C-alpha cells in the first residue's frame, strides 16, 4: 500500500498550489481543484480501508500493523531517533474513512455556503492544509510524528477559525483556541520527552522491560500526554476555546470542531491504550472521570444556550466526554483487556462524526436561510426547508440514542461498558444521555416548529431593503443542491452506520469483538431518551413556551449561571488579568523598570557625570597639557625637597 503516501502528499500540494496561485484563478476553479484533490484522497482512503480489512487477519487472529513507508528523520543516538512514516492498523484506517468522508462533504457543501465570500480560494487552501495535518496525525508511526502533525492541526484550526479576519470576534476566538491548546500541548510535549527518555523510543510499542523499570515515570508521562489530548478535545477545564471557535465559517465547525480535530484527544488515548491499561490504569480511570464530569457540565450548558451553533458546540464537548468515559472505564480484567469500552469509544467516534457533521451542516443551511444564529429568529422552518428539516431530525434522533439510528448502537455500548465498570457511572451517563435528547429536541423544536417563521417582532437580522427603502422579511428557502447533497448523504450514513459490525474491525487487541446488545440497558436508555423528548416536546413545540419560561424564572440563578457557561471564562479572565497580570506581572514589571532598569540607569548616570567632570583632561589642547605637566612636575619636586 505504498500509494497511501499520496494521502499526505496530495493535500499538501493542493495547499501550496491554492495558497500561492489561488488569487490568480477564478474562485470556482479553486474550489473545484481543492474538492477534486479531496475526492482522490477519499477514493484512496476507501481503497486502503477495503484492501486492509479484506486481506483478513493473520494466523494469530489479529489484523496486522503495516508500515508502507518509514524513514529516519532525526537520529539522536543508536537507540533513540525520530522517524516519519505511515502506520496502518484498524483505528488509523477507520480514521482515514472518517476524515476523508467528512472533509469531502464539507468541500462540496462549501461551494454553496461560501459562495461570494472574499478569500474563497484561501479558504480551500486552509481546508487542504487541515486535511493533510489530520491525516498525518492519524497515520503517524510514533508519538513524536503525531506531535508534529498535532501542532499543524492547531495551526490549521487557528487559520480557519480566524478566516473572517476583519471580524474582531473571529480573531479573538482564533487566538483563544491557539493559546489554550498551546498550554495543553506543553504538557503533551513534556510527556513525550519523559516517555522517550525512559522508554528509549518514541514508538507506540516500546520494550516492556524498560517501561516496567521506569516505575511511576510512565504513568506520569501518559498523564501529561492526556493534558494535550484534553486541550484538543476540549475537556474541562480546557474546553473554553471550542464554543468561541464557532465564530469561524459553519462548514469549518462541522469539519474541525465536531467531526475530526476534537476527536484527536480521544484518538491519542486510544493509540496509547495498551500502555494506559498496562502501566497506568489509574490514569486511565482519571480520564474517564474527567470525561464524565465534562459530559455532564457541557450537557447542562447546552440546555439553555440560544445560539444554535453553540448548542452544537457544547453537545460536541459532551459527546467527546462519552468517548473518553468509554476508554476510561476499561479494566484489564475484562475480556479483550477492556475491549467493550475501547470498541464502544471508537464506534461512537465513527457514528458521532457523521451525525454531528450533519447537524452542523444543517445548522449552516438554516443560518444561510435566515441570516441569524439565534433561535428567536427561527421557528416554523420545516415548511420552508423540508430537506434540511428531515435530515436534521434524523441527526437529532441519532444523537439522542433512538433506534435504529447509528447513535443508539454506539451509545448503548458505552452505557453497557459504564454499567460494567460501576452502576453509579452507568446511571450518571444514562442521565446525561437523557439530557442530550432533551437539549437536542429543544433545539429542533425552536428551529422547525415553534410558531410560524417571521411572526416574532424580534426577527430582524434577515430583513432586506426594497427599492423604496422599506424593510421586508425575505422568505426562507431550501439550501442549494451543493449544500443539500452532503446533508442527504450524511443522513443516509447516519441511518445505516449502526448496523456495521464495528467490533469485527476495531477492537482493543485486534481480535474480532462481537457486539451483543444488552437489551436491559438499551431499553432503559431508550425510555430515558423518549421521556426527555416528550418533555422537550411539551416545553418547546408550541408557539409560547410558558412552562420553560416559568422554570427559567424559578431557577433564575442556575439558568443564568448555565447560560454564562458557569462563568468559567470569567474565572479565567479574573485569574489571568487580576491575579497573574495584576498581582504578579505588574509587580515584576515595576521591579524590572524601577530596580533593574534603575540600577543600570544609575550606572550610566554616574558614568556620564564622571566623564563630564574629567573630560577636560583629554581636551587635545597642547598648552593645557603642558601646564598640567609642569604643575605636576613642580608638585613632585616640592614633595621630594620637603622629604
Amino acid at each position: 500500500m505504498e500509494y497511501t503516501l499520496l494521502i499526505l502528499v496530495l493535500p499538501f500540494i493542493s495547499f501550496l498550489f491554492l495558497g500561492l496561485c489561488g488569487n490568480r484563478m477564478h474562485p470556482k476553479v479553486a474550489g473545484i481543484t481543492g474538492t477534486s484533490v479531496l475526492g482522490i484522497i477519499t477514493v484512496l482512503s476507501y481503497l486502503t480501508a477495503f484492501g486492509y480489512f479484506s486481506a483478513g487477519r493473520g494466523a494469530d487472529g489479529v489484523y496486522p500493523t503495516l508500515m508502507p513507508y518509514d524513514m529516519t528523520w532525526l537520529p539522536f543516538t543508536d537507540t533513540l531517533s525520530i522517524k516519519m512514516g505511515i502506520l496502518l492498523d484498524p483505528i488509523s484506517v477507520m480514521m482515514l474513512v472518517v476524515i476523508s468522508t467528512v472533509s469531502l462533504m464539507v468541500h462540496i457543501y462549501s461551494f454553496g455556503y461560501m459562495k461570494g465570500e472574499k478569500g474563497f480560494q484561501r479558504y480551500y487552501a486552509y481546508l487542504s492544509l487541515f486535511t493533510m495535518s489530520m491525516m498525518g496525525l492519524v497515520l503517524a508511526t510514533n508519538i513524536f510524528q503525531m506531535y508534529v502533525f498535532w501542532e499543524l492541526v492547531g495551526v490549521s484550526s487557528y487559520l480557519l477559525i480566524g478566516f473572517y479576519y476583519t471580524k474582531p470576534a473571529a480573531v479573538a476566538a482564533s487566538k483563544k483556541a491557539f493559546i489554550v491548546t498551546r498550554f495543553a500541548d506543553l504538557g503533551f510535549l513534556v510527556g513525550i520527552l519523559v516517555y522517550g527518555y525512559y522508554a528509549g523510543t518514541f514508538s507506540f510499542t516500546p520494550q516492556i522491560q524498560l517501561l516496567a523499570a521506569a516505575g511511576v515515570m510512565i504513568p506520569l508521562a501518559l498523564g501529561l500526554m492526556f493534558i494535550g489530548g484534553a486541550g484538543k478535545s476540549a475537556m474541562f477545564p480546557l474546553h473554553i476555546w471550542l464554543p468561541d471557535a464557532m465564530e469561524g465559517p459553519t462548514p469549518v465547525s462541522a469539519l474541525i470542531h465536531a467531526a475530526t480535530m476534537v476527536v484527536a484527544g480521544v484518538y491519542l488515548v486510544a493509540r496509547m491504550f495498551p500502555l494506559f491499561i498496562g502501566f497506568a490504569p489509574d490514569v486511565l480511570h482519571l480520564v474517564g472521570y474527567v470525561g464524565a464530569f465534562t459530559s455532564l457540565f457541557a450537557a447542562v450548558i447546552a440546555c439553555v444556550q440560544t445560539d444554535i451553533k453553540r448548542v452544537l458546540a457544547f453537545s460536541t464537548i459532551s459527546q467527546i466526554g462519552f468517548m473518553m468515559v468509554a476508554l476510561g472505564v476499561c479494566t484489564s480484567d475484562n475480556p479483550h483487556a477492556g475491549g467493550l469500552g475501547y470498541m464502544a469509544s471508537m464506534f461512537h467516534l465513527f457514528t458521532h462524526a457523521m451525525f454531528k457533521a450533519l447537524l452542523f451542516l444543517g445548522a449552516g443551511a438554516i443560518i444561510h436561510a435566515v441570516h441569524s444564529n439565534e433561535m428567536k429568529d427561527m421557528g416554523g422552518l420545516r415548511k420552508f426547508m423540508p430537506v434540511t428539516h428531515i435530515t436534521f431530525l434524523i441527526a437529532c434522533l441519532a444523537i439522542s440514542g433512538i433506534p435504529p439510528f447509528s447513535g443508539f448502537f454506539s451509545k448503548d455500548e458505552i452505557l453497557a461498558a459504564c454499567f460494567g465498570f460501576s452502576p453509579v457511572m452507568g446511571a450518571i451517563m444514562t442521565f446525561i444521555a437523557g439530557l442530550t435528547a432533551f437539549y437536542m429536541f429543544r433545539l429542533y423544536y425552536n428551529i422547525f416548529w415553534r410558531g410560524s417563521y417571521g411572526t416574532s417582532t424580534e426577527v430582524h437580522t434577515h430583513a432586506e431593503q426594497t427599492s423604496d427603502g422599506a424593510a421586508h422579511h425575505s422568505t426562507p428557502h431550501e439550501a442549494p443542491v451543493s449544500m443539500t447533497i452532503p446533508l442527504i448523504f450524511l443522513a443516509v450514513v447516519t441511518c445505516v452506520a449502526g448496523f456495521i459490525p464495528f467490533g469485527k474491525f476495531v477492537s482493543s487487541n485486534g481480535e474480532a469483538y462481537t457486539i451483543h446488545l444488552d437489551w436491559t440497558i438499551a431499553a432503559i436508555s431508550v425510555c430515558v431518551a423518549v421521556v426527555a423528548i416528550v418533555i422537550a416536546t411539551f416545553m418547546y413545540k408550541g408557539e409560547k413556551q410558558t412552562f420553560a419560561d416559568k422554570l427559567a424564572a424559578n431557577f433564575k440563578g442556575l439558568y443564568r449561571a448555565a447560560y454564562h457557561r458557569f462563568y468559567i471564562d470569567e474565572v479565567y479572565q479574573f485569574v489571568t488579568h487580576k491575579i497573574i497580570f495584576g498581582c504578579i506581572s505588574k509587580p515584576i514589571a515595576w521591579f524590572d523598570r524601577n530596580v533593574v532598569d534603575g540600577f543600570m540607569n544609575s550606572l550610566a548616570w554616574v558614568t556620564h557625570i564622571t566623564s563630564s567632570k574629567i573630560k577636560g583632561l583629554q581636551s587635545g589642547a597642547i598648552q593645557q597639557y603642558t601646564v598640567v605637566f609642569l604643575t605636576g612636575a613642580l608638585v613632585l619636586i616640592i614633595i621630594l625637597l620637603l622629604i
Side-chain angles (χ1 to χ4, degrees), residues 330-469:
C330 293
T331 55
S332 58
D333 56 347
N334 283 347
H336 286 266
L340 175 58
Y342 180 95
M343 182 279 300
S345 178
M346 296 298 98
F347 195 12
H348 199 58
L349 187 156
F350 178 82
T351 60
H352 173 265
M354 302 303 168
F355 59 68
K356 184 52 67 69
L358 174 57
L359 286 168
F360 263 108
L361 295 183
I366 295 161
I367 295 168
H368 185 265
V370 304
H371 309 289
S372 174
N373 292 23
E374 291 293 325
M375 293 181 191
K376 64 182 176 61
D377 297 332
M378 302 171 190
L381 292 179
R382 69 189 187 282
K383 302 173 184 177
F384 305 97
M385 308 177 70
V387 175
T388 303
H389 169 232
I390 296 300
T391 55
F392 200 90
L393 175 59
I394 289 172
C396 287
L397 291 169
I399 195 173
S400 299
I402 301 298
F405 302 101
S406 60
F408 161 74
F409 297 94
S410 57
K411 188 172 289 187
D412 180 76
E413 295 303 311
I414 292 178
L415 295 178
C418 291
F419 275 107
F421 176 76
S422 165
V424 175
M425 180 67 82
I428 291 173
M429 299 312 295
T430 301
F431 173 72
I432 298 172
L435 280 181
T436 303
F438 173 78
Y439 68 66
M440 286 308 304
F441 273 85
R442 169 182 176 265
L443 176 67
Y444 166 74
Y445 284 122
N446 273 294
I447 294 173
F448 294 105
W449 285 85
R450 177 184 52 82
S452 299
Y453 177 79
T455 59
S456 172
T457 57
E458 295 175 324
V459 177
H460 58 84
T461 55
H462 52 278
E464 297 178 344
Q465 294 292 325
T466 59
S467 57
D468 59 357

Side-chain angles (χ1 to χ4, degrees), residues 254-323:
L255 176 62
I256 298 181
H257 308 297
T260 52
M261 172 183 159
V262 291
V263 301
V266 179
Y267 180 82
L268 170 65
V269 177
R271 172 58 70 196
M272 307 297 287
F273 182 78
L275 301 181
F276 271 103
I277 201 165
F279 298 92
D282 292 337
V283 177
L284 187 63
H285 296 334
L286 178 62
V287 170
Y289 297 136
V290 171
F293 179 81
T294 301
S295 188
L296 176 61
F297 175 83
V300 171
I301 295 176
C303 290
V304 299
Q305 295 299 301
T306 57
D307 184 317
I308 63 174
K309 286 179 67 176
R310 280 178 168 75
V311 172
L312 296 179
F314 281 103
S315 171
T316 297
I317 297 172
S318 183
Q319 294 301 301
I320 297 298
F322 265 88
M323 301 173 204

Side-chain angles (χ1 to χ4, degrees), residues 155-178:
V155 171
S156 306
S157 174
Y158 170 79
L159 294 172
L160 284 166
I161 296 170
F163 175 76
Y164 298 122
Y165 59 86
T166 57
K167 185 180 177 183
V171 174
S174 64
K175 291 191 294 185
K176 186 175 184 179
F178 191 80

